[in-house]
Amino acid sequence: MQQFYGLGVALVTPFKEDLSVDYDALERLVTYNIENGTNYLVINGTTGESATITKEEKTEIIKVVAAVNKKRLPLVLGVGGNNTQTVVEELQTLDLTEIDAILSVAPYYSKPTQEGFYQHFKAVAEASPKPVILYNVPGRTAKNMEPATTLRLAKDFDNVIGVKEAGNNQQQYYSLLKDKPEDFLIISGDDDLALGIVLAGGAGVISVIGQGLPKEFSQMIQLGLEGKNKEAFNIHFELMDIVDYIFEENNPAGIKAVLKKLNITSDNVRLPLVVASKELQGKIGDFLDNL
């Protein structure tokens, strides 16, 4: 699964002033990432505002990204939810021809037991025609999927190929890295911890800031994968402030402020999210001017 090593980016969904999807801006964003070192693209994740994207928009977004990509980079699609049957039906009905893997979030709101997580992802794995990357993000789902559950799934299902771990919990990462099957991917979902996790044996990151600064972030991750700690940390220290800024208010308002400053997309978001404050936009602008 070498195609999912390095820098994956969780693409935003750009919007016009009327909050319809801006497909031209999406094309610019995909091209910018392909040309600047991103290793794979993630469509319709949390950062893509998947909670407020319609089924029709999702289909069109996949088409547009695939058409621009022209099979140059692997594509990962977010397919998840807290209604297991609905997720299974979506996996069975979506056209996944252009998709290389599924990213499936742990069920949110319902707060299942560890056995509930296992049975949910068992159903997802059995229904998915593509490899599955689990996505554990307890800050959003309200319940942590514990390492033992993740590793049980890794061992029981050949098509469960990795986990995007985003609990901002280093000890949990280390537990996964210590006990994982050899070819199972531990992918950081925390931009601030990504380099340390790569140096400890992680496969890379699915990043938010990476799509705004793909050249720098992909170089940092690559140096980490090569064990070049000092050079990698030099870049990490340079980017620390911007990583903090983009998560200061909400995601993806922060990264959209970055992309607006870079003239790639607007900063429009759909309610209940709101655009980054003027103060935050000022800090982001100053950082990018001085980078």
Side-chain angles (χ1 to χ4, degrees), residues 13-270:
T13 301
F15 299 124
K16 299 176 184 176
E17 287 303 315
D18 65 359
L19 297 185
S20 61
V21 178
D22 187 341
Y23 294 106
D24 291 339
L26 182 60
E27 289 181 12
R28 284 195 298 276
L29 179 63
V30 171
T31 301
Y32 174 70
N33 274 271
I34 290 170
E35 291 176 352
N36 284 284
T38 294
N39 298 109
Y40 61 97
L41 304 170
V42 180
I43 305 165
N44 200 59
T46 309
T47 305
E49 293 174 72
S50 56
T52 55
I53 297 294
T54 68
K55 194 180 288 188
E56 294 74 24
E57 287 170 335
K58 183 173 180 176
T59 301
E60 189 61 25
I61 288 165
I62 295 167
K63 271 190 207 162
V64 169
V65 173
V68 178
N69 184 47
K70 298 187 179 76
K71 298 194 181 296
R72 287 177 285 180
L73 299 184
L75 300 181
V76 177
L77 179 67
V79 183
N82 66 338
N83 182 333
T84 306
Q85 189 53 41
T86 302
V87 178
V88 165
E89 286 167 7
E90 188 174 8
L91 285 167
Q92 291 169 339
T93 55
L94 264 177
D95 180 2
L96 300 173
T97 312
E98 298 285 350
I99 301 301
D100 297 281
I102 296 302
L103 178 69
S104 198
V105 69
Y108 41 79
Y109 188 76
S110 303
K111 298 174 78 171
T113 63
Q114 296 305 309
E115 184 62 25
F117 281 128
Y118 179 85
Q119 293 298 332
H120 170 85
F121 280 121
K122 176 177 187 281
V124 169
E126 288 174 347
S128 179
K130 299 286 181 173
V132 175
I133 299 170
L134 311 173
Y135 179 19
N136 184 43
V137 56
R140 288 186 180 275
T141 64
K143 189 79 182 277
N144 182 42
M145 184 162 69
E146 294 168 7
T149 305
T150 300
L151 296 172
R152 185 181 165 202
L153 288 159
K155 286 164 184 163
D156 288 356
F157 301 98
D158 290 342
N159 65 333
V160 175
I161 62 166
V163 61
K164 177 187 177 185
E165 179 63 36
N168 216 256
N169 180 338
Q170 278 187 310
Q171 195 57 42
Q172 182 144 313
Y173 278 109
Y174 296 152
S175 295
L176 289 164
L177 288 164
K178 172 176 158 292
D179 295 326
K180 74 180 185 72
E182 188 179 353
D183 56 353
F184 188 71
L185 307 175
I186 308 301
I187 300 167
S188 175
D190 299 301
D191 283 352
D192 55 342
L193 299 182
L195 177 57
I197 300 312
V198 166
L199 290 168
V205 62
I206 293 176
S207 172
V208 177
I209 191 59
Q211 69 197 297
L213 301 170
K215 198 172 282 185
E216 295 86 349
F217 216 79
S218 64
Q219 186 184 10
M220 179 189 81
I221 295 298
Q222 193 54 48
L223 287 166
L225 288 168
E226 293 168 9
K228 295 177 178 174
N229 304 27
K230 188 177 177 187
E231 298 95 319
F233 268 111
N234 285 340
I235 301 173
H236 172 83
F237 294 141
E238 194 177 356
L239 299 180
M240 272 175 66
D241 286 348
I242 193 68
V243 169
D244 287 343
Y245 293 160
I246 66 164
F247 296 109
E248 201 169 282
E249 292 180 357
N250 69 60
N251 178 44
I255 184 60
K256 282 190 165 180
V258 171
L259 295 169
K260 180 184 180 183
K261 173 73 176 173
L262 296 171
N263 295 314
I264 296 169
T265 75
S266 77
D267 62 348
N268 298 317
V269 291
R270 285 178 175 171

Side-chain angles (χ1 to χ4, degrees), residues 249 257 260 267 275-286:
E249 292 180 357
K260 180 184 180 183
D267 62 348
V275 297
S277 65
K278 288 280 185 280
E279 183 189 4
L280 181 56
Q281 289 185 46
K283 288 198 290 191
I284 286 170
D286 290 345

